[in-house]
Amino acid sequence: MKTITLKTEEEFFEYLNNLSKSLGKPKSQIIREAVIEYGERLKRERIHQKMEKLAKQLSKDKNYLREIKEFDILSGDIVE
């Protein structure tokens, strides 16, 4: 494992320390889990933004309902 040095305010350090004690987890584990969770949240937000953009584009397309129906048919074939 690699080592990272983190400078922080006293208040944050105490918060992390108390969290570590209450959860029974090392501070490094809490930070790793938080960073991974944050990265996953950013990934979900990007996907959501792309889906909203696509939905707006499709709503302007007169053929979008046909495309959605075709997608539903294809999706059903894959699931079954």
Side-chain angles (χ1 to χ4, degrees):
M1 247 191 220
K2 301 286 183 175
T3 300
I4 296 175
T5 302
L6 174 70
K7 291 185 180 185
T8 183
E9 300 292 328
E10 182 69 27
E11 183 179 312
F12 178 81
F13 181 80
E14 290 301 321
Y15 177 77
L16 182 58
N17 223 19
N18 291 335
L19 192 59
S20 173
K21 289 177 185 176
S22 68
L23 295 175
K25 293 181 179 182
K27 291 184 284 289
S28 59
Q29 182 179 353
I30 293 169
I31 293 170
R32 279 192 303 272
E33 289 173 358
V35 169
I36 290 169
E37 185 175 325
Y38 180 69
E40 292 298 317
R41 189 179 93 211
L42 290 177
K43 189 187 315 180
R44 286 190 303 272
E45 287 175 3
R46 283 194 301 268
I47 291 169
H48 182 73
Q49 289 171 352
K50 287 179 182 179
M51 290 175 69
E52 283 183 338
K53 183 179 176 182
L54 180 59
K56 286 179 185 177
Q57 290 172 344
L58 286 175
S59 68
K60 295 175 185 176
D61 182 354
K62 294 180 181 180
N63 295 320
Y64 80 97
L65 283 176
R66 180 181 51 80
E67 293 172 12
I68 290 173
K69 287 178 184 175
E70 289 175 7
F71 177 77
D72 284 342
I73 290 168
L74 292 174
S75 296
D77 289 344
I78 294 170
V79 173
E80 294 173 18

